[in-house]
Amino acid sequence: MAFVPAPGYQPTYNPTLPYNKPIPGGLSVGMSVYIQGVASEHMKRFSVNFAVGQGPGSDIAFHFNPRFDGWDKVVFNSQQGGQWGSEEKKRSMPFRKGSPFELVFMVLAEHYKVVINGNPFYEFGHRLPVQMVTHLQVDGDLELQSINFIGGQPASDQTPMVTPAYPDLGQNYNPPLNSLPTMEGPPTFNPPVPFTGRLQGGLTARKTIIVKGYVPPTGKSFAINFKVWSSGDVALHINPRLSEDIVVRNSYLNGSWGSEEKKLTYNPFGRGLFFDLSIRCGIDRFKVYGNGQHLFDFSHRLPAFQRVDTVEIEGDVTLSYVQM
């Protein structure tokens, strides 16, 4: 079964460079763009452009341009009618050659907010209306792992099913019953660990939980638990163990652990790496995807999975985004 993104969550994995593609539904306030990648060992510069059109002469509403040039800095600008505007710069380099990074652009009413590896970095005021931006362009000395568009408006041929990417902005839509899969509640950015989130109304079939995070270089183990708060039962326990390079799955029912499942064809969890996890609840199983690839299925051991009302995340992990 192919990976189907949750509504309002449009991922592209391992895109090639140069990347120059439409933003699903166009750019809008409340949308966030997540870029995960690795800076080249020989990085000199790369750029991210929020462009008005796809062609080489298109206006650029926001040009983000890190430069390793002896005066390491990040340059911010815009381009209209073939002319660059006034340059803004920050003499700080948050990227390290040969190291993975997570770059987030939050589109707010007054500006683009840039967050790098979980830390706010810069705010660039709008010079062109957000609604004019149609394409995202990425090029330069880097390797892309994923580009995710979260929130905003769906493409014109889709029924609106979006939860805003920024909790303080926009309106919630009521997804139609036939939408696949569904997510409810506002997302949480950079939540502390241990994390505890409540599933309003319990776990339902077709619900998807998204977890984006980072495993620190010294990480040993962390866990994601789908739990019944009142009884302490755990319907699904996901436990990446970094020192053993395995991902253990299990359940904890009626006071005892079940049999462990470990078979895996692909492991997205590694020390010093970012991951993008999608956990979908089906009628008879959980289906779990990492960085867009199917990781494993876990058959329901708690038949009344609707009783699951809590998601817990603990251990050696830094969270950047949780959508429930």
Side-chain angles (χ1 to χ4, degrees):
M1 183 175 179
F3 176 72
V4 180
Y9 188 79
Q10 304 291 331
T12 301
Y13 296 100
N14 302 311
T16 56
L17 292 174
Y19 177 92
N20 185 3
K21 293 189 177 181
I23 296 171
L27 199 65
S28 60
V29 170
M31 179 178 280
S32 290
V33 180
Y34 277 71
I35 299 175
Q36 292 177 332
V38 179
S40 167
E41 290 279 3
H42 308 288
M43 172 179 278
K44 293 184 178 179
R45 63 177 60 190
F46 75 89
S47 63
V48 178
N49 293 328
F50 289 79
V52 183
Q54 193 170 18
S58 300
D59 286 352
I60 299 172
F62 180 26
H63 171 72
F64 175 87
N65 181 210
R67 300 177 184 177
F68 285 92
D69 57 4
W71 297 86
D72 294 354
K73 59 184 174 290
V74 180
V75 172
F76 316 88
N77 210 336
S78 62
Q79 186 181 64
Q80 299 182 57
Q83 300 293 320
W84 287 106
S86 58
E87 191 174 86
E88 301 177 26
K89 65 183 69 174
K90 184 171 181 176
R91 294 196 180 279
S92 173
M93 181 52 66
F95 303 97
R96 290 189 304 163
K97 294 181 180 181
S99 295
F101 64 84
E102 181 177 66
L103 174 60
V104 182
F105 297 93
M106 294 181 178
V107 185
L108 307 183
E110 302 293 330
H111 53 251
Y112 296 89
K113 181 176 181 178
V114 183
V115 179
I116 302 174
N117 298 337
N119 301 308
F121 184 74
Y122 199 76
E123 295 176 353
F124 183 81
H126 295 305
R127 299 181 182 179
L128 288 172
V130 168
Q131 294 78 9
M132 292 178 64
V133 175
T134 60
H135 286 70
L136 184 75
Q137 303 170 345
V138 185
D139 200 7
D141 304 324
L142 76 164
E143 176 185 333
L144 287 175
Q145 175 184 337
S146 69
I147 295 179
N148 293 180
F149 300 98
I150 301 174
Q153 299 293 330
S156 58
D157 60 345
Q158 296 176 352
T159 305
M161 301 182 293
V162 177
T163 300
Y166 197 74
D168 297 326
L169 297 168
Q171 297 176 324
N172 289 335
Y173 291 96
N174 293 319
L177 293 177
N178 63 351
S179 64
L180 284 174
T182 64
M183 296 191 298
E184 298 172 6
T188 304
F189 290 96
N190 306 311
V193 177
F195 169 87
T196 301
R198 300 304 292 267
L199 289 162
Q200 299 298 325
L203 187 62
T204 56
R206 308 201 320 264
K207 181 184 283 289
T208 298
I209 287 81
I210 302 290
V211 179
K212 293 172 68 68
Y214 173 76
V215 179
T218 57
K220 295 180 180 178
S221 172
F222 71 94
I224 302 173
N225 294 320
F226 284 71
K227 188 173 182 178
V228 180
W229 182 260
S230 60
S231 67
D233 284 350
V234 177
L236 172 60
H237 169 74
I238 304 173
N239 177 210
R241 300 178 186 176
L242 289 310
S243 57
E244 302 173 61
D245 192 28
I246 61 174
V247 180
V248 173
R249 291 89 68 189
N250 209 338
S251 60
Y252 182 81
L253 305 175
N254 301 316
S256 62
W257 287 102
S259 58
E260 292 185 343
E261 298 180 16
K262 299 179 182 178
K263 186 177 180 180
L264 208 63
T265 56
Y266 163 70
N267 187 353
F269 305 106
R271 289 173 173 147
L273 297 180
F274 292 92
F275 64 86
D276 181 351
L277 201 63
S278 172
I279 306 162
R280 284 195 274 156
C281 179
I283 297 295
D284 58 355
R285 74 192 69 182
F286 290 95
K287 296 187 74 69
V288 179
Y289 296 78
N291 301 341
Q293 297 188 45
H294 179 254
L295 296 185
F296 61 85
D297 290 356
F298 187 85
S299 296
H300 289 310
R301 299 179 183 178
L302 179 68
F305 62 82
Q306 297 86 350
R307 293 177 55 215
V308 172
D309 57 6
T310 305
V311 176
E312 293 180 341
I313 305 174
E314 57 189 5
D316 304 326
V317 65
T318 299
L319 298 175
S320 57
Y321 176 91
V322 178
Q323 169 78 70
M324 296 171 57

